[in-house]
Amino acid sequence: MKAALENYQARMQRVLDHIDQHLDDDLGLEALSGVAAFSKYHFHRQFTSTFGLSVHRYVQLARMKRASYRLAESDTQSVTDIAMDAGYDAPDAFARAFRQRFGQSPSSFRKSPDWGSWLMAFGPLEKARNTLMQIIFDHTDVTIRDVPPTPVAIMEHRGDRATLQDTIQRFIAWRKAAGLSPETSPTFNVFRSEREPAVPADYSMDICAGTDQPIEANDAQMKAGVIPGGRCAVLRYPGNTNNLEPAALYLYREWLPASGEEARDFPIYCQRHLSHFTEGPLREVVVELFLPLK
């Protein structure tokens, strides 16, 4: 029974990964049911019952999410081009849908994104990927690695996760101004609190860029630091990377007690090998989660 369930989930997971990696392709029922190797006559109900939203709705949200990233990240692509890439025939239709979802026009979002509304708008997408379809890990997914110390520039986020996107955008702007490409300067997130602490204001995370260049003394946003070297349990996280909590829980609840290892006095952290906020397809993001060991 367990093997059958895991096989079913893997086929559904394959569909989500295919959507993320082929947002510009045909993502109709027939194409996606073929990816999952399910009957096209039942696939729509299977998808909806598994993820809590329809195939069309999921694809629409995934395309809109990419569009929002492109608006916020760059002024080089026109709203018309972004609308077409999101599957809309005309920019006015895209603008209406965008305003309905975010409470802002595309041009207003580009200038000053309301990330709190953004997080709420994509709640169903995150729930589909991370709540209704948990990734199943086992001990073979974890490796122990000796990692070198890495000097970093740190931007601290302290406070409600609803404001995290504002911090991320300031980090992106600082990185661009410093000339630190995510392709050559690794990105780290150091998780200093739970994802959803009992008091939302207690949420705490550091966003870091790997660099040994000095930080200006008058830089009020960034400070210099080091991701310490040493032994770490490393878990590569596949697919969507907005919520690493399932992977962290696996490391703490299952892997660590069974391994005989002990955790070291440094928070769990991840390395994003390319920026999460990229203009390319979502498959370009590769994340590894590190649990420091003694």
Side-chain angles (χ1 to χ4, degrees):
M1 183 69 73
K2 182 181 179 182
L5 176 60
E6 290 179 356
N7 177 61
Y8 186 93
Q9 290 184 338
R11 291 158 76 182
M12 283 294 191
Q13 184 70 47
R14 193 161 68 231
V15 174
L16 299 191
D17 292 341
H18 180 86
I19 292 172
D20 285 348
Q21 296 167 16
H22 299 86
L23 287 175
D24 294 322
D25 296 346
D26 172 21
L27 296 175
L29 279 175
E30 186 162 355
L32 293 178
S33 63
V35 171
F38 286 132
S39 165
K40 65 180 179 181
Y41 298 103
H42 302 284
F43 179 69
H44 183 271
R45 288 188 178 89
Q46 288 175 280
F47 189 97
T48 302
S49 64
T50 301
F51 298 113
L53 70 169
S54 69
V55 174
H56 174 75
R57 175 75 165 155
Y58 184 93
V59 171
Q60 186 182 54
L61 283 171
R63 285 172 171 163
M64 187 67 80
K65 188 173 185 178
R66 183 180 65 173
S68 69
Y69 287 159
R70 290 178 171 176
L71 284 167
E73 275 239 297
S74 173
D75 295 328
T76 59
Q77 192 172 18
S78 70
V79 173
T80 298
D81 288 341
I82 291 173
M84 300 295 285
D85 288 344
Y88 290 85
D89 294 331
D92 56 341
F94 172 72
R96 284 195 300 272
F98 197 93
R99 183 183 292 276
Q100 183 179 24
R101 192 165 311 285
F102 302 108
Q104 290 182 282
S105 68
S107 57
S108 174
F109 184 87
R110 170 167 268 173
K111 293 177 182 176
S112 181
D114 179 354
W115 291 113
S117 297
W118 185 92
L119 280 173
M120 292 182 64
F122 290 113
L125 195 66
E126 182 166 341
K127 185 177 181 181
R129 292 304 305 256
N130 300 308
T131 302
L132 300 180
M133 191 70 174
Q134 295 292 338
I135 297 173
I136 299 172
F137 299 103
D138 64 42
H139 70 280
T140 62
D141 296 318
V142 182
T143 59
I144 295 179
R145 188 185 306 169
D146 283 308
V147 301
T150 304
V152 292
I154 303 170
M155 179 174 287
E156 297 178 340
H157 176 86
R158 304 291 183 265
D160 199 319
R161 281 188 69 248
T163 63
L164 177 59
Q165 293 297 334
D166 294 326
T167 305
I168 291 172
Q169 290 305 305
R170 292 199 308 274
F171 175 78
I172 290 172
W174 182 90
R175 179 196 281 271
K176 287 181 178 178
L180 297 176
S181 165
E183 295 187 14
T184 56
S185 169
T187 304
F188 298 92
N189 298 147
V190 180
F191 303 106
R192 297 188 176 275
S193 73
E194 297 177 355
R195 177 180 170 82
E196 295 184 4
V199 179
D202 290 341
Y203 182 75
S204 178
M205 183 179 79
D206 296 342
I207 308 175
C208 311
T211 178
D212 56 4
Q213 72 180 37
I215 306 299
E216 297 291 338
N218 61 352
D219 193 327
Q221 298 189 94
M222 306 296 293
K223 68 178 185 180
V226 175
I227 303 291
R231 296 174 69 248
C232 290
V234 184
L235 177 57
R236 184 183 177 93
Y237 198 89
N240 177 274
T241 60
N242 288 342
N243 183 3
L244 299 177
E245 191 74 1
L249 289 176
Y250 171 76
L251 286 173
Y252 284 123
R253 288 178 179 173
E254 299 183 43
W255 183 86
L256 188 61
S259 70
E261 298 282 352
E262 291 188 39
R264 182 161 30 103
D265 287 338
F266 188 79
I268 196 167
Y269 66 94
C270 77
Q271 179 178 353
R272 299 180 183 273
H273 293 274
L274 280 178
S275 172
H276 178 63
F277 296 89
T278 176
E279 294 188 11
L282 296 180
R283 68 177 179 273
E284 291 182 352
V285 181
V286 176
V287 173
E288 289 181 319
L289 194 62
F290 292 78
L291 176 61
L293 303 173
K294 289 184 178 179

